[in-house]
Every structure is written in C-alpha cells, then in structure tokens.
C-alpha cells in the first residue's frame, strides 16, 4: 500500500526536470547525511534484490517532452517490471498502499479503519532497525523526542496529516499520498508517484505505461540499479521525468526523507549525497510541518562520480 497544496509545485517540478542531469562533479556532497544514509542503507534488510526478488527491463531512452503533455513517443514496448516476487512483497509488514483520491481539489475521506491502518503501518516501521537508527540520529540532533509515542505522532503529522494542496478544495492531500501514491493536478499534470511498488502495481493494472529511462549519454542505467530516472504515462497524462528508488523498503524512504525534513527549516531542502554506488540530490519540500513532496534525483550511478 503506498501511498503538490495551496502552493503551485508546477514550477518546482519543471525546474527539477530541467536540472535532473546536472554535472554531478559540480555538486558539494553533504558528508554527514551521506554517512547516516549509508548506515540506513546497510540496515535495510527488507530491500528487495534485483534478479532475485524482481526483474526490470529498461529498454529505450525516453525523449524530451514538456510538463503537462498528454502523449510521448514510447521507447519501451514492455513494462518496466517484468517480474516481482509478490509473496516476498506481501510478507513485509511495512508495505502499505491505501486507496487515495487521485485528483487534488477533491477532499479526502479518511475512515477510522484507514487511520488504524496508518497507525499500524507506523508501528511496523518503528520496529525496523532502519527507523530505530534514524530516531536515534534525530534525538542526537535535538529534532525528535526520545519518547516513541511522541516520535510516532511527529511522523504521523509529517506524512499522513491531510492539508489543502489545491486552494479551492478541501483537505485533499498528504505527504504520503503525494510521494508514495501519486496525484493529478486539475487533470493536467502528474504530481508525485515516486514509489516503485506503486509504479509496479499501476503497471500491473495497465493504468501506467513506462515510456523509457532518462539518463545522460555516458550514464546509462543498469537493470540492477536501485535508483532510476524514468518517463511514464498515467491516467492519460505523461510525467516527463520521475526519479525513484527501486527495491528499497518504505521504512528506508521514510527514514531518509524524515531526516532531511527535520534537520532543515528551508521551504525546499536539497542535499547531494553519495549513497552506495549512486550520487543523488535528495529533495524535500515542506507544507508547514508536513511533507509536501520528497524524492531522490539521480545525478550519477555505478560510482561514475568517484
């Protein structure tokens, strides 16, 4: 189950697409965040492994299209995911994908059952070594309380609190819905949907069509990569460039973006990190004390930045 406000994120996403393939060598790496994120990477025992738990087919390189497009040349005749070990996936207590209203401006109706599911999901996340380490790090930084109940409340407010993403509608969005599930804006633009499980499930239902990978000519991805830039269509709209982790657990994604969010007060926080064999620009945009959007932006893979 996986799950951009009264603020217009269109210009942010357009700039993100424009600078996705900036020169990694010109970026200043945040070494402290690199260190803690690599610790969390090593602790992520729920990460699915390529070739074992899933297989992907990268196919062709997608072309340029502007934001708001409804069509794109398809450089991938087959889905991105050729197989996923669903038994492995479903055995994870931290995999949650609820039904959310796709369009911003349409108020969400959160039932008591959904609140219970969200709380159970957070309880499971808090039991993982990944989130326990992230919690200790945030306590050390003075950004979270040591009391687990207070930390859980902090996480719930950050990720699941409903807020107005469209100024004319009701409480229509949350950080979790945007980043993990995806939304559409006025039926003209795809927002969010940075989670690989949601991508796979939407592909399986033939609601999402993978159009090809995005990369610089000298940095083509491999099928065992855990971070990809891709292009896809969803419900009649096209996302020109979307960056996402592949195979990682939801607790890993929540942990790194929670750290990035809580250790900064900027409206939009970016940090370049070296994670495993990748150089990434991590991006978090805040909506008050909640997450507006959060995603990785792949700068370089296969240690080409070293």
């Amino acid at each position: 189950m996986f799950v951009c406000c009264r603020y217009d994120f269109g210009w942010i996403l357009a700039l993100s697409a424009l600078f996705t393939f900036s020169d990694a060598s010109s970026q200043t790496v945040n070494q402290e965040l690199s260190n803690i994120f690599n610790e969390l990477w090593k602790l992520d025992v729920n990460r699915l492994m390529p070739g074992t738990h899933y297989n992907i087919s990268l196919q062709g390189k997608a072309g340029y299209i502007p934001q708001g497009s409804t069509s794109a040349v398809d450089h991938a005749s087959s889905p991105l995911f050729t197989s996923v070990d669903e038994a492995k996936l479903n055995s994870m207590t931290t995999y949650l994908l609820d039904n959310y209203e796709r369009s911003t401006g349409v108020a969400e109706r959160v039932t008591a059952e959904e609140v219970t599911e969200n709380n159970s999901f957070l309880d499971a996340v808090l039991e993982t070594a990944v989130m326990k380490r992230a919690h200790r790090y945030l306590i050390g930084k003075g950004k979270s309380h040591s009391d687990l109940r207070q930390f859980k409340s902090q996480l719930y407010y950050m990720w699941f609190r409903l807020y107005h993403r469209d100024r004319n509608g009701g409480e229509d969005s949350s950080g979790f819905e945007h980043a993990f599930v995806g939304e559409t804006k006025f039926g003209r633009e795809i927002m969010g949907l940075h989670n690989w499980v949601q991508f796979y499930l939407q592909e399986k239902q033939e609601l999402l069509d993978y159009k090809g990978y995005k990369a610089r000519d000298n940095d083509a991805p491999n099928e065992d990569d855990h971070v990809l830039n891709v292009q896809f269509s969803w419900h009649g709209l096209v996302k020109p460039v979307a960056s996402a982790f592949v195979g990682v657990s939801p607790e890993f994604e929540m942990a790194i973006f929670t750290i990035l969010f809580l250790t900064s007060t900027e409206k939009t926080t970016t940090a370049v990190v070296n994670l495993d064999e990748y150089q990434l620009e991590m991006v978090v945009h805040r909506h008050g004390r909640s997450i507006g959007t959060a995603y990785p932006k792949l700068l370089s893979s296969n240690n080409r930045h070293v």
Side-chain angles (χ1 to χ4, degrees):
M1 93 232 111
F2 282 154
V3 209
C4 271
C5 44
R6 58 173 272 130
Y7 303 98
D8 185 350
F9 285 113
W11 65 275
I12 296 174
L13 296 176
L15 285 175
S16 296
L18 180 62
F19 293 110
T20 294
F21 306 112
S22 58
D23 183 6
S25 64
S26 67
Q27 308 293 309
T28 301
V29 174
N30 186 315
Q31 194 56 55
E32 181 177 352
L33 286 179
S34 295
N35 292 342
I36 182 61
F37 289 174
N38 276 285
E39 280 192 56
L40 299 178
W41 181 265
K42 292 174 183 176
L43 290 170
D44 191 17
V45 296
N46 281 337
R47 182 169 64 249
L48 274 66
M49 303 308 297
T52 301
H53 303 123
Y54 69 89
N55 291 280
I56 62 173
S57 175
L58 292 166
Q59 302 166 79
K61 181 179 179 181
Y64 168 80
I65 59 168
Q67 187 72 35
S69 298
T70 57
S71 64
V73 176
D74 196 343
H75 294 271
S77 59
S78 300
L80 174 63
F81 287 92
T82 59
S83 68
V84 173
D85 184 346
E86 292 194 7
K88 171 73 171 176
L89 194 63
N90 293 330
S91 70
M92 307 296 184
T93 58
T94 58
Y95 279 103
L96 157 79
L97 250 178
D98 287 329
N99 295 319
Y100 288 84
E101 172 56 50
R102 187 174 72 250
S103 298
T104 59
V106 180
E108 298 284 351
R109 292 179 294 276
V110 181
T111 67
E113 181 181 4
E114 288 170 337
V115 171
T116 299
E117 284 184 357
N118 292 342
N119 277 296
S120 296
F121 168 72
L122 284 180
D123 287 339
V125 165
L126 288 165
E127 284 296 314
T128 65
V130 169
M131 192 57 81
K132 286 180 179 179
R133 178 64 185 98
H135 188 200
R136 292 197 303 273
Y137 178 83
L138 289 166
I139 293 170
K141 290 291 181 181
K143 301 300 182 180
S144 294
H145 200 281
S146 59
D147 182 82
L148 200 58
R149 289 172 298 180
Q150 292 191 43
F151 182 51
K152 178 183 174 183
S153 295
Q154 187 179 31
L155 290 175
Y156 198 103
Y157 197 93
M158 287 172 55
W159 287 99
F160 292 104
R161 180 185 74 90
L162 289 179
Y163 51 72
H164 299 263
R165 194 174 289 276
D166 185 295
R167 68 185 65 192
N168 298 316
E171 294 182 331
D172 59 356
S173 185
S174 68
F176 187 85
E177 177 184 2
H178 179 92
F180 283 82
V181 179
E183 303 172 295
T184 59
K185 181 179 179 181
F186 306 132
R188 298 196 304 265
E189 183 180 326
I190 299 171
M191 301 190 303
L193 211 169
H194 297 290
N195 179 261
W196 72 273
V197 176
Q198 172 71 336
F199 192 105
Y200 161 67
L201 293 175
Q202 294 295 295
E203 266 198 330
K204 183 180 177 182
Q205 296 176 57
E206 299 184 349
L207 298 173
L208 184 152
D209 184 16
Y210 169 63
K211 300 295 185 182
Y213 67 86
K214 297 288 289 184
R216 295 173 301 181
D217 290 337
N218 63 343
D219 199 15
N222 294 325
E223 294 183 348
D224 61 352
D225 279 346
H226 278 293
V227 192
L228 293 174
N229 295 321
V230 297
Q231 185 178 103
F232 63 88
S233 64
W234 187 49
H235 294 286
L237 301 171
V238 180
K239 187 149 189 177
V241 183
S243 300
F245 287 105
V246 182
V248 302
S249 71
E251 60 263 28
F252 174 78
E253 294 192 73
M254 289 190 80
I256 60 175
F257 290 122
T258 294
I259 288 173
L260 190 62
F261 179 87
L262 291 176
T263 54
S264 171
T265 58
E266 298 296 322
K267 186 70 176 179
T268 299
T269 300
T270 62
V272 174
V273 298
N274 291 334
L275 176 63
D276 192 52
E277 62 183 34
Y278 312 99
Q279 185 166 90
L280 311 170
E281 183 177 18
M282 310 300 295
V283 181
V284 167
H285 189 88
R286 66 180 58 243
H287 186 278
R289 292 190 294 118
S290 298
I291 286 177
T293 188
Y295 56 91
K297 201 157 52 168
L298 179 63
L299 300 178
S300 180
S301 63
N302 300 304
N303 288 316
R304 290 188 177 93
H305 55 279
V306 176

